[in-house]
Amino acid sequence: STANAPEDDAANRYTRTDRTAYSRYSRDANSSGGSIPSSALEKRIEELERELAKERQENVRLMKMTQDKEELIGKLKEEIDLLNR
């Protein structure tokens, strides 16, 4: 799992950069007469960030379950081999 840390770090940096750029874009659009208030966009961004955090937690949970199942499969295969001998 430590091998994935640099990728996660890069993804987090990209997300922050993207969010900053998006915030800047929404402010610029509003100052030039955009029809959506910046507070509505900010609320939507926060909402999406919360959803993203939940999805990431779910992905971590599913990855853990997958690893546990793979370990169990490996142990069962070893047991089958022993029984076959």
Side-chain angles (χ1 to χ4, degrees), residues 77-85:
K77 283 182 179 178
E78 288 174 10
E79 192 173 332
I80 289 169
D81 286 344
L82 286 172
L83 289 171
N84 284 334
R85 290 182 196 159

Side-chain angles (χ1 to χ4, degrees), residues 22-23 26 30 36-51:
Y22 187 74
S23 291
S26 67
N30 288 324
I36 302 173
S38 66
S39 62
L41 286 175
E42 288 172 6
K43 285 179 185 175
R44 181 66 178 143
I45 289 170
E46 288 173 7
E47 206 176 281
L48 291 172
E49 286 174 346
R50 281 192 297 272
E51 286 181 40

Side-chain angles (χ1 to χ4, degrees), residues 8-79:
D8 292 345
D9 206 24
N12 287 337
R13 263 185 271 123
Y14 175 75
T15 303
R16 280 193 300 272
T17 304
D18 189 44
R19 192 180 324 136
T20 304
Y22 187 74
S23 291
R24 238 182 281 126
Y25 170 75
S26 67
R27 280 195 301 270
D28 292 345
N30 288 324
S31 64
S32 64
S35 61
I36 302 173
S38 66
S39 62
L41 286 175
E42 288 172 6
K43 285 179 185 175
R44 181 66 178 143
I45 289 170
E46 288 173 7
E47 206 176 281
L48 291 172
E49 286 174 346
R50 281 192 297 272
E51 286 181 40
L52 181 60
K54 286 179 187 175
E55 292 299 325
R56 284 184 174 155
Q57 286 177 343
E58 179 68 3
N59 283 347
V60 167
R61 188 183 71 79
L62 292 172
M63 289 297 290
K64 173 81 172 99
M65 282 177 54
T66 301
Q67 289 172 349
D68 291 346
K69 301 284 183 187
E70 288 174 354
E71 287 176 18
L72 179 60
I73 289 169
K75 289 177 185 176
L76 291 171
K77 283 182 179 178
E78 288 174 10
E79 192 173 332

